[in-house]
Amino acid sequence: MAQAKGCVPSYAMENIETPYDPKKDPNPSKKYSLWPNATVPYMIDTDLHEELQQLIKQAIEEFHEKTPIKWKAYNAQHDANYVCFEPASDPSDAYSQVGCNNCGKQLVKLTYPYIPESRRRWKKVNVMHEMMHVIGFFHEQQRVDSPSHHKAAETRGNDLDFVLVSDCVNVGHYDYQSIMHYPCYYFDGLYLDDDVKQQMEQNVEKLDTFSKMDLAAIKILYGIKHGHYGVWHRACTNKACNDTLCYCGSCGQSQPWCGFHPHKKRNTKGHWTCCFNEDEKSKKCHMNGHHGFWHMECEQRCDAKKHGCKCGACGAGCLHEGKKAHWSCCLVEKFEAPCPTSPFEKKNSKTNAKTKVKTKKTKTKKHEENDQIENSDDEGQ
């Protein structure tokens, strides 16, 4: 589901500050929610292969090191809801359920030794992909803005892993680097243009951990609402570093770049990558509702069109046209301007409520099952 990360159910934004408690509010429309206190109780079926058990433990360590999410051993006396990692009975079907379903036990089914429909063995990042579903994320290619990049949803419409999720909030820009994005061979012949093809081939499945936007989306959902969703970059140490280039590694080495300083200042104090606040101890992010990152001005060699970035200032899924600096989430070109696409704003709440009621009445039992289970043949990573 987004990084963000990505693409998250609209209910996730409704309980971002106060997680849904079914004991206090039995409203069935709120059945699916975020995990309270950013804590996911879990257990591992002893029948699961030892290799997969070790990958799960490694993935948990990655979550603990880089995100607010805590995975803790399931306690039957204290935990009403929990996740169980089990071996899949069907070797062609691995899947995870999305979000906290408030139904007691929910499943993550893993195949062994290969990821379904492939000859690729599971890696830590593949397990992290499944665990991202658990905390509330759909696949990146299921975002409603994915047709701006490829025609997979149109062409692979009978595949649930490519169906666009309309009742979904996009966090950040469409992210080719997200661990929730499926491999490039699923999109052969379906790219919107050659620039998209080139960028996706350069960025998809190149990371063995969360992308910058994956981490931001997790922090936005499970961190403090107005807290920092970026990371702290220490002050530059090389005298050659300036307001547009970093040579010492302080501002990161992966593309898209940090964005450097929007006020044309050398990084002498360090800064948060989300808002460029130069106070490391600050708790509040001056982001004006933004949920993406500031992309610095492109170089002359870049094309002034969508997907035309070649220098690394933008790229990896950003839809900005032109070479000016901008926010990746809303494409606004003024750093201080508020974000018009903020996921924190509740819009047309009454209309949305009516739509949800009407939709629920027309759903079949099969559709309700599909809502609960993200059938990942998880070639997705």
Side-chain angles (χ1 to χ4, degrees):
M1 178 140 106
Q3 126 324 205
K5 198 6 332 340
C7 173
V8 298
S10 57
Y11 66 74
M13 304 311 297
E14 295 171 3
N15 56 31
I16 191 170
E17 291 182 309
T18 308
Y20 169 60
D21 186 343
K23 295 180 180 179
K24 296 180 180 179
D25 182 3
N27 184 347
S29 68
K30 296 182 179 179
K31 181 178 179 181
Y32 312 111
S33 70
L34 300 179
W35 290 87
N37 302 314
T39 301
V40 185
Y42 77 97
M43 65 178 295
I44 301 175
D45 192 309
T46 54
D47 289 335
L48 193 64
H49 194 277
E50 179 63 26
E51 183 178 332
L52 291 175
Q53 293 192 40
Q54 290 303 315
L55 290 176
I56 292 169
K57 293 174 183 177
Q58 293 171 20
I60 288 174
E61 290 178 1
E62 193 90 353
F63 269 89
H64 288 178
E65 178 186 350
K66 298 179 178 179
T67 80
I69 305 296
K70 300 301 178 188
W71 298 78
K72 77 176 192 75
Y74 168 61
N75 185 317
Q77 293 183 331
H78 300 101
D79 301 319
N81 301 299
Y82 68 102
V83 173
C84 184
F85 294 87
E86 296 183 354
S89 55
D90 183 349
S92 66
D93 190 20
Y95 67 82
S96 306
Q97 293 172 288
V98 177
C100 177
N101 291 179
N102 291 299
C103 60
K105 178 182 178 180
Q106 63 185 75
L107 302 174
V108 175
K109 292 278 193 176
L110 301 178
T111 53
Y112 184 82
Y114 302 116
I115 295 172
E117 299 181 7
S118 79
R119 299 293 291 179
R120 300 190 306 163
R121 299 184 76 91
W122 287 86
K123 297 179 180 179
K124 177 180 66 175
V125 70
N126 307 129
V127 176
M128 290 166 61
H129 173 107
E130 299 300 337
M131 294 164 74
M132 284 282 281
H133 284 314
V134 171
I135 64 173
F137 289 85
F138 287 101
H139 294 125
E140 196 74 7
Q141 69 269 8
Q142 292 185 273
R143 289 170 54 124
V144 293
D145 57 352
S146 67
S148 296
H149 305 267
H150 52 74
K151 295 177 284 187
E154 176 185 337
T155 306
R156 306 178 65 93
N158 60 340
D159 188 334
L160 292 177
D161 294 327
F162 291 84
V163 172
L164 301 187
V165 185
S166 57
D167 187 18
C168 180
V169 175
N170 293 334
V171 181
H173 66 276
Y174 190 96
D175 182 14
Y176 296 162
Q177 296 178 325
S178 173
I179 65 173
M180 301 311 291
H181 203 295
Y182 268 28
C184 279
Y185 54 77
Y186 277 98
F187 304 92
D188 285 345
L190 303 177
Y191 300 109
L192 204 63
D193 55 44
D194 289 340
D195 282 328
V196 173
K197 182 177 187 293
Q198 181 182 25
Q199 283 195 30
M200 285 184 64
E201 289 177 346
Q202 288 176 348
N203 289 283
V204 173
E205 272 204 316
K206 301 304 181 187
L207 302 179
D208 59 3
T209 186
F210 304 104
S211 72
K212 180 167 71 173
M213 199 61 244
D214 287 335
L215 290 174
I218 295 172
K219 290 177 181 179
I220 286 172
L221 284 184
Y222 284 96
I224 301 171
K225 179 176 178 181
H226 296 292
H228 294 290
Y229 60 85
V231 297
W232 175 257
H233 281 173
R234 58 179 171 79
C236 282
T237 56
N238 190 324
K239 292 182 179 180
C241 298
N242 54 45
D243 62 329
T244 59
L245 289 173
C246 172
Y247 295 98
C248 67
S250 298
C251 295
Q253 299 177 350
S254 62
Q255 297 182 6
W257 307 118
C258 159
F260 301 101
H261 210 295
H263 298 299
K264 299 299 180 181
K265 290 170 55 181
R266 183 174 180 273
N267 176 30
T268 58
K269 298 180 180 179
H271 55 252
W272 288 97
T273 57
C274 41
C275 62
F276 292 91
N277 187 323
E278 295 179 329
D279 180 4
E280 184 177 6
K281 296 181 180 180
S282 67
K283 301 297 183 183
K284 188 173 183 179
C285 182
H286 177 61
M287 60 183 179
N288 283 327
H290 290 288
H291 47 109
F293 290 93
W294 180 253
H295 286 171
M296 67 178 185
E297 185 175 351
C298 277
E299 296 177 3
Q300 290 299 315
R301 63 192 174 100
C302 299
D303 299 324
K305 62 180 182 179
K306 290 181 181 178
H307 309 296
C309 176
K310 305 290 192 303
C311 68
C314 185
C318 179
L319 290 175
H320 184 259
E321 291 189 61
K323 302 182 181 182
K324 292 184 178 180
H326 56 273
W327 284 101
S328 67
C329 46
C330 58
L331 309 184
V332 169
E333 295 176 350
K334 185 177 180 181
F335 180 75
E336 294 82 4
C339 181
T341 64
S342 174
F344 302 113
E345 299 299 326
K346 294 182 179 180
K347 301 175 182 178
N348 302 320
S349 57
K350 292 184 179 180
T351 302
N352 289 340
K354 291 179 181 178
T355 303
K356 288 180 181 179
V357 172
K358 183 177 180 180
T359 302
K360 190 166 183 65
K361 287 181 180 179
T362 58
K363 280 183 177 178
T364 65
K365 182 176 181 181
K366 181 65 176 176
H367 287 156
E368 291 176 347
E369 291 174 355
N370 288 340
D371 282 347
Q372 294 179 34
I373 298 179
E374 188 67 27
N375 286 316
S376 310
D377 34 344
D378 274 289
E379 298 270 344
Q381 270 57 49

